[in-house]
Amino acid sequence: MPRPSSSQSAPSTQDQTAGTAAKPSAASAAKVFGASAALDALSAIDEHTRKVVAHVRQRTHISRNLGHQAAPNRDSLGARAADTVAGFGGSWTFVLLFIFTTLAWMVVNTLLLAWQGHTFDPYPYILLNLVLSMLAAIQAPIILMSQNRQADKDRVRSEHDYEVNLKAELEIMLLHEKIDQLQNQQWHELLALQREQLQLLEGLLLQRGSAPQAS
């Protein structure tokens, strides 16, 4: 028979080496693509979710007392003053005091006009309207400042609640996964015991079948 030449056998060895070299390159490419996909998935997750995942991975708690972060002694004087003005302006004390002051102003000016013929703020009480306009003009931005601070506090609380709820959801999912694994392990153990029992029963049946034949 004609023997194959070395020139014909060389391409086969080269193909084999190329195939063996292609396998690590494919594996490394898969690793690279897998890592890039993981990085893309992590970049798509927001900061709060990454924080929760880090806490779940480290097995640390994420809940905290937000009252210490927004303590009154840590706020500025203007912030505390805005909260005080907003709290007082939205109370029945302010409403009753406002009504009493307005009625007293009108009564005093009416009595002075009746007794002396002139007064410092005659009807239609232009000075009173000016004072009330100034009070409303200064009170509105102060109340808005207090509302903005309260909105910031509510935003921080809502973000914290989201993190706590997300961590609780992830922990529950992990617990379900662990329970499913334990159930699968128990099922495998029960199946193994059942196989052993069937083998023992088959052995007993074979022993009983062989005993009459021996007799």
Side-chain angles (χ1 to χ4, degrees):
M1 291 177 65
R3 299 173 60 185
S5 62
S6 60
S7 62
Q8 292 178 355
S9 61
S12 62
T13 56
Q14 290 178 0
D15 293 337
Q16 291 178 357
T17 55
T20 55
K23 290 181 180 179
S25 62
S28 61
K31 290 181 180 179
V32 170
F33 284 118
S36 62
L39 290 176
D40 293 337
L42 287 176
S43 61
I45 298 175
D46 57 352
E47 181 182 358
H48 298 288
T49 307
R50 287 197 295 269
K51 180 180 177 182
V52 171
V53 171
H55 279 277
V56 172
R57 184 182 302 168
Q58 298 171 3
R59 308 300 298 173
T60 55
H61 66 87
I62 197 172
S63 60
R64 61 187 184 275
N65 188 6
L66 298 178
H68 294 293
Q69 297 182 357
N73 54 1
R74 295 186 181 181
D75 295 334
S76 62
L77 181 61
R80 284 180 287 174
D83 290 339
T84 303
V85 171
F88 178 72
S91 63
W92 278 106
T93 303
F94 174 78
V95 174
L96 295 176
L97 185 62
F98 174 78
I99 294 173
F100 175 77
T101 303
T102 305
L103 292 176
W105 185 286
M106 291 187 292
V107 169
V108 168
N109 281 278
T110 302
L111 292 177
L112 290 176
L113 185 62
W115 291 345
Q116 300 179 3
H118 62 85
T119 182
F120 62 92
D121 189 18
Y123 182 83
Y125 313 111
I126 298 175
L127 182 58
L128 178 61
N129 291 326
L130 177 62
V131 172
L132 295 179
S133 299
M134 293 174 59
L135 179 62
I138 195 64
Q139 189 181 14
I142 294 175
I143 293 175
L144 287 177
M145 284 190 291
S146 179
Q147 289 180 350
N148 291 333
R149 292 185 66 251
Q150 189 63 37
D152 293 336
K153 292 179 182 179
D154 294 338
R155 178 181 55 80
V156 173
R157 290 192 183 95
S158 63
E159 291 176 355
H160 179 254
D161 292 339
Y162 167 74
E163 293 175 357
V164 173
N165 293 332
L166 181 60
K167 186 174 185 294
E169 185 177 357
L170 292 176
E171 292 289 349
I172 291 171
M173 292 172 65
L174 291 174
L175 286 176
H176 279 292
E177 185 177 357
K178 290 179 181 178
I179 292 172
D180 292 338
Q181 290 178 358
L182 290 174
Q183 288 180 350
N184 291 329
Q185 184 179 358
Q186 289 178 355
W187 279 113
H188 288 303
E189 291 177 356
L190 290 173
L191 289 174
L193 289 174
Q194 189 175 8
R195 290 193 189 98
E196 292 179 358
Q197 291 175 356
L198 290 174
Q199 290 177 359
L200 291 174
L201 289 173
E202 289 177 357
L204 291 174
L205 291 174
L206 289 175
Q207 289 178 2
R208 289 182 180 180
S210 60
Q213 293 177 2
S215 61

